[in-house]
Amino acid sequence: MRRAVLFAAMLAVIGSLARASDLPPDKQRSSYQDMAPATRAMQDADTDNPAMLWVLDGEALWQTKAGNAGRACADCHGDAKQSMRGTAARHPAFDEKLNAPVNLEGRINICRTEQQQTAPLPYESKELLALSAYVALQSRGLPIESRDPRLEPAISAGRAEFMRRQGQLNLGCVHCHDQRFGEKLAGSTIPQGHPNGYPIYRLEWQTLGSLQRRLRNCLTGMRADNYPLGSPELVALETYLMRRARGMTVESPAVRP
Amino acid sequence: MRLSVIPLVTLILSAAPTAMAQDALRPYTIDGDAISTSLTGEDGDPARGREIVANRLVGLCVLCHSGPFPEAPLQGTLAPDLKGAGTRWSIGQLRLRMVDSSRVMPDTIMPAYYRIDHLVRVAPAFRGKPVLTAAQIEDVVAFLATLKE
């Protein structure tokens, strides 16, 4: 068993060497670095960051008993500051039961359905955003991790999705986020497209939103057929983006233009 | 080199019968690096072409290009300035560049504005439709031809 894991890890290392054309870690740049000073200031001060309103809601939900089990997140997980430290920095994580990667929203919903025995929360609902913002905050300042060799198939699938052209405009994510970051697409500076701030308060949305909502925005811009929220394709893209951003600092919940 | 292009009309039949879909796609002939004859048989209108180019939701050009049309304030830096395009290229060359720029630059990021094949996962609202109609292409070409250095 340990040998199998080692072998998979070796394959992963060889795989990453073979991907010389991918964004190199020493070139990684957070969107934060290209934001206007006022937008940065908003993210820097918790009292000014609108995302903190969701965090407060999330903290209250954490303590609230729910479902047939009548248990709160806190009943099992205790103080989130300790139990959820680093959790967002390594999600999507591999779930043995599902034999697939699960993102933070999916992980929270598994606890809703299996532990609390109640309905899953819809994507972009106030409650799911609040809980994911609260959990993600506990990773703020930590480096993104992407080590589990069982994630490799999803990383490859996500990478293929990132590299290929699609949609009526026949563009790939790679054309903007690997090859043209720092350039202007009409008025917007093209970022490298990192997942290190999610969920984000986006000024254009005037609200908090998930990484998947952001990915769907880019797919819409490419005039591509969109993937539904929570779909395995979007989770695979997230898994690849986390590998691509490994080592970067988690900023969640960040502010973005 | 003469190359006849027969567009995949069958794809269009399955699309919603909007004005745009009915317009797609007229046959055209590529001569070397140009399409010498108008897609509609008529000359385009440069004023309408200018509106299309400057409107980033219609022409999309200013997402990538800059150019001498100050009515579009936010211009991109992904592509050359369009100033002088009418000096650099003939009308036929501009027409082929608009119809399918990958014929001129195989790896280009500029979308093919009048091609509906060899595309994957196109959103349903745009499926089977070119980015611009034949008449819009002619308007844009007529406008680009006025951009003399």
Side-chain angles (χ1 to χ4, degrees), chain A residues 161 164-171 175-176 179-180 182-187 190 219 223-227, chain B residues 56-57 60 62-63 74-78 107-109 111 115 119-124 126-127 129-131:
Chain A
E161 190 69 28
R164 72 163 165 168
R165 289 177 182 264
Q166 52 183 309
Q168 191 196 36
L169 304 185
N170 206 24
L171 291 168
H175 293 121
C176 288
Q179 299 173 356
R180 288 172 183 80
E183 298 279 352
K184 292 271 187 200
L185 183 73
I190 298 179
L219 284 160
R223 300 187 175 180
D225 200 2
N226 231 319
Y227 295 116
Chain B
R56 68 169 153 152
L57 299 177
L60 313 165
V62 288
L63 291 177
L74 302 172
Q75 306 191 341
T77 62
L78 304 185
D107 293 327
T108 189
I109 55 160
R115 191 184 82 204
L119 300 174
V120 292
R121 294 192 4 86
V122 176
F126 299 105
R127 218 168 277 163
K129 299 173 193 171
V131 182

Side-chain angles (χ1 to χ4, degrees), chain B residues 57-113:
Chain B
L57 299 177
V58 180
L60 313 165
C61 320
V62 288
L63 291 177
C64 299
H65 288 276
S66 52
F69 18 90
E71 65 270 35
L74 302 172
Q75 306 191 341
T77 62
L78 304 185
D81 195 290
L82 290 174
K83 182 173 53 154
T87 305
R88 288 189 290 281
W89 310 103
S90 71
I91 286 186
Q93 285 173 318
L94 289 169
R95 189 178 287 113
L96 176 58
R97 159 64 76 176
M98 292 308 306
V99 164
D100 185 355
S101 53
S102 73
R103 299 249 174 203
V104 193
M105 295 274 290
D107 293 327
T108 189
I109 55 160
M110 177 160 156
Y113 278 86

